[in-house]
Amino acid sequence: MKTLTHWIDGKPVEGTSGRFGPVYNPATGDQEKQVAFATVEEVDAAVASARAAFASWGGSSLATRTAILFKYRELLDAHRDEIAELITAEHGKVHSDALGEVARGMEIVELACGISVQLKGELSTQVSNRVDVASIRQPLGVVAGITPFNFPAMVPMWMFPLAIACGNTFVLKPSEKDPSASLRLAELATEAGLPEGVLNIVQGDKTAVDRLLEHPDIEAVSFVGSTPIAKYIQLKAVEHGKRVQALGGAKNHMLVLPDADLELAADQAINAAYGSAGERCMAVSVVVAVGDIGDELVGKIAERAKKLRIGPGDDPASEMGPLITREHRDKVASYVASAAEQGAEVVVDGTGLTVEGHENGFFLGVSLLDRVPLTADAYRDEIFGPVLAVVRAQTYEEAIQLINSSRWGNGTAIFTRDGGAARRFQMEVKAGMVGVNVPIPVPVGYHSFGGWKDSLFGDLHIYGNDGIAFYTQGKVVTTRWPDPSDGGINLGFPSNS
Ligand code: NAD
């Protein structure tokens, strides 16, 4: 069985812990690989490599950094298909979706290619006699990234390209469930000319994560994953004096007003709820039908849901692949059963699905629940699977109150033809990313991504300008080239005149 390694000092490093995690092909249910789980000493070796590399990388010229990033972008472009295949083999999502993930990750590499413009400082001349003030931003040092299973290439790329473009060095701890894509990303970065030690990968579990959070040489931590772990990461990172951004889970609501184009809304609800088998932090998991459109909208969504083609991600005919593990598949299925017991109407039940030739794969059909009580587990929890809940609201006011009562605030969307209602929604809704007739409003690379409430712990969102602010620290330099008239003793606080 293939064993996946760490990546330290620009090369693969075998693990020594004797502890491994299984890596499955979710479409067959077979364990095809295992991944080494790092020891504390292996994490320390990766941090030491990054620390040593920072000595020169932190002071490297912008021209050097961007030349490597441009080359890296070319290599990623040339290897899109191969990276997407690695994602499909371990995550299960269909190839076209995996290609989309690679493309969205590359947007951040493209942003990083333009880092010279982003890192231009500010200069005020003659703030006082012969005094100039410059604001500059400098790298932090070694930063760590801890990433989830659902975007094994894109989420690491939300972090390290920008961090290294800013002059930091990086230690990534990818998800242990699908680690191959990030290893390939690191190999290509080395091929692009990234010096050894600038980007390291440690594989593993809580042992590796905890060591990164405690390590005195790690300056900052970017985390993306579930809410309970995000909270833990923030508290522990702060306890150890680190800057932290920890993005958590979600329960994204799509509000449909009575004037919306219901055909379009039904199409988008399907795409956003069941794409990637619902394993997206920006998936729509609740549709809020306002007024009297509920029955018609549910009918249109159900009609489409029943036609979805579910199968292995490497079959071009498949529109939706399997879930990440058997346990997760079974947990997601249990929400359909509990929803029925707790008062929801199961309009489409996908829990009985088997895929011919792939009977042991982690497949689950799509489910549609209507009139889901707000007290049902299927409404209260993040399910992270192909289960869409519909709730009914009489008015816009009732609908927005419901959305704003959610403990999460990642993404949300409104479907309407009424510009005034859309504007009101974007001003009133408590969520970090809002779509107007756009169901999955993931910001482009040059804006920032982040949620509110239990969807993000920390102050700054990820990538875009917030990402650059996160991976740099400000410094203000006040300069005077003195004139003889500037001499003399004055113990007063310096004032400008
Ligand atoms: P997860 O929280 O289980 O794991 C994320 C990372 O944390 C992994 O690298 C994992 O190894 C590590 N980890 C897990 N348990 C840990 C522990 N006890 N101590 C220390 N580290 C631990 O998340 P997941 O299941 O891989 O990913 C799915 C979750 O991520 C969903 O909740 C989803 O909404 C969320 N997510 C959020 C965003 C966002 O941008 N807000 C994006 C993608 C995924």
Side-chain angles (χ1 to χ4, degrees):
M1 187 185 304
K2 184 172 180 188
T3 299
L4 302 168
T5 63
H6 311 296
W7 183 270
I8 301 173
D9 259 346
K11 51 187 175 304
V13 171
E14 306 277 331
T16 60
S17 68
R19 294 194 308 122
F20 301 94
V23 179
Y24 294 98
N25 178 341
T28 61
D30 296 335
Q31 184 190 341
E32 293 183 352
K33 304 167 203 164
Q34 61 179 3
V35 60
F37 280 3
T39 59
V40 165
E41 292 71 27
E42 284 160 346
V43 175
D44 287 355
V47 176
S49 167
R51 180 94 197 146
F54 180 67
S56 52
W57 183 253
S60 62
S61 71
L62 288 167
T64 300
R65 287 183 230 160
T66 50
I68 292 168
L69 285 160
F70 271 103
K71 177 76 182 154
Y72 188 43
R73 201 251 166 224
E74 270 177 42
L75 286 171
L76 290 170
D77 186 34
H79 291 85
R80 281 173 198 257
D81 263 311
E82 184 200 334
I83 298 165
E85 279 163 18
L86 289 172
I87 296 169
T88 297
E90 294 178 3
H91 175 283
K93 65 178 73 172
V94 298
H95 187 72
S96 55
D97 191 30
L99 275 175
E101 158 173 4
V102 176
R104 293 308 297 261
M106 284 174 60
E107 276 183 15
I108 315 305
V109 180
E110 287 155 11
L111 175 70
C113 287
I115 197 69
S116 319
V117 178
Q118 303 291 331
L119 284 187
K120 270 196 309 194
E122 294 171 337
L123 176 69
S124 300
T125 55
Q126 193 63 357
V127 300
S128 183
N129 279 331
R130 290 172 299 286
V131 176
D132 302 331
V133 177
S135 291
I136 61 174
R137 297 202 69 85
Q138 294 192 307
L140 305 173
V142 184
V143 302
I146 300 155
T147 53
F149 80 82
N150 66 319
F151 284 107
M154 181 184 78
V155 172
M157 283 197 275
W158 281 359
M159 301 175 181
F160 74 79
L162 213 46
I164 64 178
C166 290
N168 303 284
T169 55
F170 203 87
V171 180
L172 172 69
K173 205 303 281 172
S175 170
E176 67 282 14
K177 298 193 176 86
D178 45 14
S180 289
S182 53
L183 277 174
R184 191 69 186 116
L185 294 178
E187 271 173 10
L188 291 174
T190 303
E191 201 177 321
L194 195 69
E196 60 188 41
V198 175
L199 173 61
N200 303 277
I201 296 178
V202 287
Q203 311 288 2
D205 57 0
K206 187 169 164 54
T207 303
V209 171
D210 283 348
R211 182 57 188 155
L212 288 170
L213 296 172
E214 287 162 4
H215 200 297
D217 287 342
I218 297 281
E219 305 295 339
V221 178
S222 294
F223 171 87
V224 176
S226 61
T227 289
I229 309 299
K231 265 188 194 165
Y232 167 77
I233 299 281
Q234 189 208 25
L235 289 175
K236 200 165 168 78
V238 167
E239 184 190 334
H240 289 273
K242 301 181 195 324
R243 185 179 287 202
V244 59
Q245 55 182 182
L247 283 70
K251 189 88 184 173
N252 306 308
H253 291 63
M254 168 173 159
L255 190 162
V256 185
L257 287 183
D259 73 331
D261 177 336
L262 295 191
E263 299 292 334
L264 182 85
D267 283 349
Q268 300 298 357
I270 288 278
N271 298 340
Y274 304 128
S276 197
E279 292 173 327
R280 289 179 183 145
C281 66
M282 289 291 274
V284 163
S285 45
V286 182
V287 164
V288 188
V290 178
D292 59 3
I293 56 165
D295 289 346
E296 194 184 346
L297 183 61
V298 168
K300 289 183 192 302
I301 297 173
E303 191 185 300
R304 288 160 170 77
K306 287 175 192 157
K307 291 187 195 146
L308 287 175
R309 293 188 306 270
I310 299 163
D314 58 5
D315 179 348
S318 305
E319 292 171 302
M320 192 188 104
L323 277 78
I324 186 72
T325 59
R326 181 171 287 114
E327 296 69 35
H328 185 56
R329 189 265 315 268
D330 294 347
K331 185 166 177 222
V332 172
S334 76
Y335 279 103
V336 179
S338 70
E341 287 157 16
Q342 293 167 4
E345 286 172 26
V346 181
V347 180
V348 180
D349 183 349
T351 55
L353 176 92
T354 46
V355 173
E356 215 181 301
H358 289 78
E359 287 75 7
N360 292 325
F362 310 143
F363 289 98
L364 187 69
V366 305
S367 295
L368 177 63
L369 312 173
D370 192 14
R371 299 183 186 278
V372 180
L374 304 185
T375 49
D377 295 337
Y379 181 75
R380 293 164 60 93
D381 295 352
E382 181 185 33
I383 299 177
F384 220 56
V387 179
L388 176 61
V390 178
V391 298
R392 313 285 186 106
Q394 285 313 308
T395 59
Y396 164 87
E397 286 75 16
E398 194 189 324
I400 190 130
Q401 205 267 338
L402 187 147
I403 298 174
N404 286 347
S405 305
S406 169
R407 58 184 278 229
W408 291 286
N410 212 39
T412 186
I414 186 168
F415 277 72
T416 180
R417 293 178 167 113
D418 180 340
R423 186 173 186 282
R424 187 174 164 196
F425 180 74
Q426 75 188 49
M427 300 306 283
E428 292 177 350
V429 76
K430 291 182 181 156
M433 293 167 284
V434 182
V436 175
N437 300 314
V438 172
I440 308 185
V442 174
V444 288
Y446 36 96
H447 288 256
S448 299
F449 180 111
W452 289 14
K453 300 191 269 184
D454 275 4
S455 295
L456 188 143
F457 303 91
D459 305 313
L460 290 169
H461 290 193
I462 207 161
Y463 67 74
N465 286 345
D466 273 18
I468 293 165
F470 184 78
Y471 293 128
T472 55
Q473 50 198 337
K475 186 182 272 180
V476 183
V477 183
T478 303
T479 305
R480 166 181 280 157
W481 291 102
D483 183 270
S485 66
D486 294 326
I489 304 297
N490 179 355
L491 299 190
F493 194 68
S495 61
N496 298 318
S497 56

